[in-house]
Amino acid sequence: MKKIKKFLLGRATIVALGVAVQLGWMLLFIQKYSVRYSFIGTLIDIVAIFIALVIVNKNSNPSYKLIWMVVILAIPLVGVLLYFAFGRSKLTRPTRKRMEVINRQMEQEFPQNENILEKIRAMDKEAYRQSKYVRDWAKFPVYENTTTKYYSRGEEMFPDMLAALDQAQHFIFMEFFIVEEGEMFGKILEVLKRKVAQGVDVRFIYDDFGCVTTLPVKYYQTLQEMGIKCVRFNPLYPVISVLMNNRDHRKILVVDGKVGFTGGINLADEYINHVVRFGYWKDTGIRLEGEAVWSFTVMFLEMWCYINRTVEEDISRFRPEKYQTAPFHSDGFIQPYADSPLDSETTGENIYMNIINRARDYVYIFTPYLIPDNEMIKSLQNAAKSGVDVRIIMPGIPDKRIVFWLSQSYYEPLLECGVRIYQYTPGFLHAKCFVSDDTVATVGSINMDYRSLYLHFECGVWMYQSAAVGKVKEDMLQTIAESEEINMDFCRKRPAIIRPFLGVVRLFAPLM
């Protein structure tokens, strides 16, 4: 009863009701006057056709365009209202301009050492092309002089996060999608308060949508009162806004500019299996130490300046070498990257497809959701058809039932082409990793679904010839040993009624 009451009175419910009331009121208002004045109905039809033509000519995903065209042309009044509320994948023009000014300032901080790219080209032209794509189109350089440590469990990474925070002497930057009061964040908060008292510059960003059910409305003020500089991305109000469509899904921790963490791990107790949700919660992360952490520092500062409407006057004071007198060690080639809904460059998806398309022997994939677009499906199918060992590891226990069923609807066309699919039997797999040919891997926050690939702010680390590459593969094989392999019989045994239902749901996949 308490859970039901909490849900009904929760902020997420209030926001949803507020948006629904506004949409309903606008719908009734327009409907009323369209009945009284026939030209209004005609005008709405014209607007619907115009918007459909605009969507057709957009440089965006065909599946995303298709569903909105169907909705808008089938139910013009409802479709137009929904599209203006939720359908525009990019931020508003003033918002984009503000972010672009910050991006231009930050891009100047990323000169590429061309000798490093040349080293990669001499070793492997395919890896060179992947790295060059990230440098030229995502604007993030590749580094040496950086070491990596891969974590196959959240509870493995957590002690190292605490240790890094405890060693901070100058600054701490943290940016997370989900934060929840409990054992994990409680211990982190104890260290942050102690560091603030020691004069360390502690800054914290959390996504308000991601924390809508986990934190009080103005929790950022609570942290500010502790001396922590805290802001929330995209504050959630019961008001229709295009910004509701974009979320900060990144997970970033930077300490003194020289140590950084990222991956799929948020700051909530299920990520370290202190509480049980959907069986055993398997997630992954990566620790960097060295020059490559600079890219994560700049990612954080971009978001910080955007939210605060400020400009960082002296960004050089956060550089890795500022507080590191000894030389950094080198562990292969490391290239952190970010993806953003600001442009039409789907960096996260293109990095994934570059790995798939250039694989010679194998590509193994961790993903909690499998809702790929047509291009991704074709890449997976063609790789498998050409003899590449393509394996995808998915959760065995879902966190979202409809999304789980939708993911399973893609199994059959992939299995038919030779892709091998596994479901992690012990519980929910939240990791987002690729590894290929014992040479290349990526670990980050990017799911294989439309929201991560097209609508969210995301991040990851591309690695070549790094020790972490072998660790990712080792973890994949160990996880496969704990998983159930899916075959065509699994697809055929699904109840007949589910097939047409999933066909309809797949049409709406880009909106999920």
Side-chain angles (χ1 to χ4, degrees):
M1 190 66 184
K2 286 184 179 179
K3 287 185 177 180
I4 295 174
K5 185 177 180 181
K6 182 180 179 182
F7 172 77
L8 292 175
L9 298 178
R11 185 156 63 109
T13 303
I14 293 170
V15 170
L17 285 174
V19 171
V21 167
Q22 290 172 75
L23 285 172
W25 180 85
M26 286 190 286
L27 185 62
L28 290 172
F29 180 83
I30 297 173
Q31 183 67 33
K32 175 183 176 181
Y33 282 92
S34 64
V35 171
R36 184 178 299 180
Y37 304 104
S38 59
F39 75 89
I40 292 180
T42 304
L43 182 62
I44 291 170
D45 290 340
I46 293 172
V47 170
I49 293 171
F50 175 77
I51 292 174
L53 291 173
V54 170
I55 293 172
V56 167
N57 288 284
K58 273 190 170 185
N59 183 22
S60 60
N61 183 268
S63 300
Y64 196 76
K65 293 194 288 188
L66 175 63
I67 180 55
W68 279 114
M69 288 174 59
V70 169
V71 173
I72 289 169
L73 295 178
I75 325 168
L77 177 54
V78 175
V80 168
L81 286 176
L82 289 175
Y83 180 74
F84 277 103
F86 307 113
R88 293 171 290 172
S89 60
K90 289 186 179 180
L91 302 175
T92 60
R93 184 171 295 176
T95 304
R96 291 202 308 271
K97 283 186 175 179
R98 182 154 53 95
M99 185 69 92
E100 285 165 4
V101 170
I102 297 168
N103 284 346
R104 282 196 295 272
Q105 178 203 9
M106 297 300 181
E107 280 178 18
Q108 298 173 8
E109 304 295 334
F110 280 145
Q112 173 65 67
N113 183 337
E114 295 297 332
N115 291 332
I116 297 176
L117 274 175
E118 288 304 314
K119 281 185 184 180
I120 299 175
R121 178 155 67 174
M123 296 169 69
D124 186 335
K125 287 186 179 179
E126 295 298 334
Y128 164 77
R129 292 188 181 105
Q130 292 182 48
S131 181
K132 191 173 187 303
Y133 164 77
V134 178
R135 175 65 192 99
D136 291 350
W137 292 93
K139 309 300 182 185
F140 287 95
V142 60
Y143 301 86
E144 290 183 300
N145 302 323
T146 304
T147 56
T148 60
K149 183 177 181 179
Y150 173 75
Y151 303 94
S152 62
R153 303 283 190 276
E155 53 267 39
E156 291 177 3
M157 188 168 95
F158 183 44
D160 282 6
M161 293 172 69
L162 287 176
L165 290 169
D166 194 55
Q167 293 166 12
Q169 297 180 355
H170 305 283
F171 67 89
I172 295 170
F173 294 161
M174 301 185 73
E175 180 179 347
F176 285 86
F177 179 60
I178 294 174
V179 180
E180 184 172 16
E181 294 176 298
E183 175 75 10
M184 185 180 190
F185 187 60
K187 288 186 175 180
I188 288 174
L189 195 54
E190 287 177 12
V191 181
L192 296 183
K193 288 190 289 186
R194 188 167 70 250
K195 289 300 166 180
V196 167
Q198 294 171 3
V200 174
D201 180 4
V202 180
R203 307 189 193 185
F204 200 101
I205 300 172
Y206 66 84
D207 184 274
D208 201 38
F209 188 97
C211 299
V212 67
T213 62
T214 60
L215 291 180
V217 179
K218 295 185 178 180
Y219 190 72
Y220 66 96
Q221 292 181 349
T222 301
L223 295 182
Q224 289 171 355
E225 290 167 1
M226 298 175 187
I228 298 168
K229 300 172 185 176
C230 181
V231 293
R232 51 184 177 162
F233 175 81
N234 214 350
L236 193 61
Y237 302 112
V239 178
I240 296 173
S241 168
V242 66
L243 291 175
M244 291 171 62
N245 220 21
N246 304 111
R247 303 165 195 167
D248 183 0
H249 194 246
R250 305 192 302 199
K251 293 89 178 167
I252 296 174
L253 167 58
V254 174
V255 176
D256 288 347
K258 57 187 180 181
V259 176
F261 295 82
T262 193
I265 298 164
N266 284 296
L267 306 183
D269 284 352
E270 62 264 32
Y271 291 87
I272 58 171
N273 286 287
H274 185 73
V275 298
V276 177
R277 291 188 68 204
F278 319 116
Y280 183 85
W281 191 290
K282 176 168 173 53
D283 216 326
T284 60
I286 189 90
R287 179 188 187 272
L288 306 182
E289 183 171 0
E291 294 178 0
V293 178
W294 177 238
S295 288
F296 280 119
T297 302
V298 174
M299 287 179 213
F300 177 91
L301 289 172
E302 280 183 339
M303 188 63 75
W304 183 264
C305 292
Y306 162 72
I307 296 172
N308 288 285
R309 297 174 180 268
T310 58
V311 174
E312 197 68 48
E313 296 295 339
D314 182 18
I315 190 173
S316 64
R317 63 194 175 103
F318 301 112
R319 295 193 69 90
E321 64 272 16
K322 188 73 176 178
Y323 307 111
Q324 175 79 9
T325 54
F328 290 114
H329 298 290
S330 193
D331 172 20
F333 301 89
I334 314 298
Q335 194 164 19
Y337 58 90
D339 198 359
S340 161
L342 286 172
D343 52 35
S344 55
E345 189 63 33
T346 53
T347 302
E349 181 178 43
N350 289 340
I351 289 171
Y352 284 172
M353 289 204 294
N354 281 342
I355 294 174
I356 297 167
N357 294 338
R358 290 183 165 86
R360 299 185 185 95
D361 299 315
Y362 75 87
V363 57
Y364 300 158
I365 300 167
F366 277 155
T367 182
Y369 314 115
L370 183 63
I371 311 176
D373 60 15
N374 188 64
E375 290 83 353
M376 182 72 77
I377 292 171
K378 288 297 181 185
S379 289
L380 291 166
Q381 290 175 326
N382 289 338
K385 286 178 179 179
S386 64
V388 175
D389 180 9
V390 182
R391 305 188 193 187
I392 302 172
I393 303 98
M394 293 277 297
I397 300 175
D399 65 334
K400 303 177 184 72
R401 183 66 62 177
I402 291 181
V403 175
F404 187 57
W405 289 341
L406 179 58
S407 296
Q408 290 181 338
S409 75
Y410 291 92
Y411 286 2
E412 192 167 343
L414 293 173
L415 289 170
E416 286 175 341
C417 296
V419 176
R420 300 177 70 180
I421 299 173
Y422 301 82
Q423 290 188 169
Y424 179 62
T425 307
F428 183 63
L429 183 144
H430 189 253
K432 311 96 168 43
C433 305
F434 275 55
V435 64
S436 176
D437 295 344
D438 295 349
T439 56
V440 169
T442 183
V443 178
S445 67
I446 307 171
N447 297 318
M448 289 178 68
D449 62 19
Y450 285 85
R451 289 209 153 270
S452 265
L453 298 174
Y454 292 95
L455 300 176
H456 292 175
F457 290 88
E458 303 278 5
C459 66
V461 180
W462 181 87
M463 296 169 285
Y464 173 66
Q465 296 287 14
S466 166
V469 174
K471 295 296 183 182
V472 175
K473 180 186 180 182
E474 182 181 314
D475 184 29
M476 294 263 191
L477 293 174
Q478 177 60 41
T479 305
I480 286 172
E482 301 176 68
S483 303
E484 173 194 7
E485 184 165 7
I486 304 301
N487 54 35
M488 293 299 290
D489 287 340
F490 175 91
C491 301
R492 297 188 187 105
K493 287 178 182 177
R494 283 181 301 183
I497 194 171
I498 289 183
R499 287 177 177 267
F501 168 73
L502 290 177
V504 174
V505 173
R506 278 180 69 167
L507 180 64
F508 291 88
L511 309 184
M512 294 186 175

